[in-house]
Amino acid sequence: MIDNPWFFAAALPAVFINGVSKGGFGSGLGILSVPLMALTVPVTEAAAIMLPILCAMDLVALWAYRRNWDRENMKIMLPAGLAGLVLGALTFRYINEAGLKLVLGTVAVGFVLYHWSGAARQLAKTHPSKAKGYFWCCVSGYTSTLAHAGGPPMSVYLLPQRLDKALLAGTAVVFFAVLNYVKLVPYFWLGLFDARNLATAAALAPIGVLGILAGVWVRKRISEALFYRLCYGFLLVTGGKLLYDSVTRLI
């Protein structure tokens, strides 16, 4: 197991925040986990440690939202997400991480700013769409495979539908739970798991479970309007973090 105290200083809040986000807000803020861990370990190692933790958290989240997920959306989202996952696995070793973060961050921030603009307020809520769903959820599966960063593309597709807050969170939970368990295969294939990473993940997993329970508790106690404001706010924060990371790496 990793014995660097600075790693755990970054990893403990990273895992807890991911759990709160997954349990209550559709996984958006969970995108911060890998960047926070990557302050002390390589990005690939951070991603490898995080995946078993995500899988453990998914079990709790699936139970919490077992009756609250959108089946019509899932028929569109899952095939697209799995296609993106395969593409991510095949290009994992060749991707430019800074470029990927730049594109993701730009999309996330631009989407939130558009939503807050006068033009967006004039639009009616959207409905499940094969064209939009296939595109954004394929991107989500791709970025999720590379750095567990699938939240922003998925949010671009789901948030405009203005689903009930439990339905939105549950749909995101089911989508990413399937992707995370399938991702175990390419991560093993890529040689990203070793005894140290798995032991570290096992030590951190209970923190993630506590985060899930905290997220479910918070979601039940806030209004629908506040919930969506928080979702868009989290998306803006994560997009800004991605842009910052990409610019600092490219300079």
Side-chain angles (χ1 to χ4, degrees):
M1 186 172 72
I2 294 175
D3 57 6
N4 180 356
W6 291 112
F7 168 79
F8 284 97
L12 288 172
V15 172
F16 185 77
I17 289 170
N18 194 305
V20 171
S21 179
K22 181 182 284 289
F25 304 100
S27 300
L29 203 58
I31 200 172
L32 296 177
S33 299
V34 170
L36 281 173
M37 286 188 181
L39 294 173
T40 57
V41 297
V43 172
T44 53
E45 185 174 357
I49 292 169
M50 199 64 215
L51 182 55
I53 299 171
L54 291 173
C55 289
M57 291 193 295
D58 286 333
L59 294 178
V60 179
L62 284 170
W63 175 255
Y65 289 102
R66 62 193 181 279
R67 297 185 182 91
N68 294 289
W69 54 280
D70 192 301
R71 285 153 180 79
E72 185 179 358
N73 268 308
M74 202 58 59
K75 291 176 183 178
I76 298 170
M77 295 170 66
L78 270 184
L82 292 172
L85 187 155
V86 172
L87 183 60
L90 294 175
T91 60
F92 191 95
R93 298 191 187 280
Y94 311 104
I95 195 67
N96 182 308
E97 183 184 344
L100 175 68
K101 288 184 175 182
L102 178 62
V103 173
L104 268 179
T106 301
V107 169
V109 171
F111 174 69
V112 173
L113 294 179
Y114 175 75
H115 169 75
W116 286 343
S117 72
R121 294 193 195 100
Q122 297 173 8
L123 298 177
K125 73 173 184 178
T126 63
H127 299 281
S129 162
K130 289 184 178 180
K132 294 177 182 177
Y134 287 156
F135 176 77
W136 287 114
C137 294
C138 182
V139 174
S140 180
Y142 183 75
T143 55
S144 178
T145 304
L146 298 177
H148 309 314
M154 183 216 64
S155 296
V156 171
Y157 172 63
L158 276 186
L159 286 181
Q161 296 183 32
R162 303 176 197 169
L163 301 173
D164 170 79
K165 59 183 181 179
L167 198 61
L168 173 66
T171 302
V173 162
V174 172
F175 177 65
F176 285 116
V178 174
L179 290 190
N180 287 334
Y181 274 91
V182 175
K183 276 192 291 186
L184 291 170
V185 176
Y187 270 53
F188 272 113
W189 174 60
L190 291 163
L192 297 177
F193 292 134
D194 58 30
R196 188 178 80 147
N197 289 346
L198 292 175
T200 303
L204 290 169
I207 304 301
V209 171
L210 289 176
I212 289 279
L213 298 176
V216 172
W217 185 87
V218 169
R219 193 267 304 164
K220 289 180 178 179
R221 285 160 178 79
I222 63 175
S223 68
E224 195 97 358
L226 178 58
F227 174 81
Y228 269 91
R229 283 198 292 269
L230 288 171
C231 285
Y232 279 104
F234 288 162
L235 185 57
L236 181 64
V237 170
T238 56
K241 173 69 169 122
L242 286 169
L243 284 176
Y244 174 80
D245 289 348
S246 64
V247 170
T248 54
R249 282 178 173 267
L250 290 170
I251 292 177

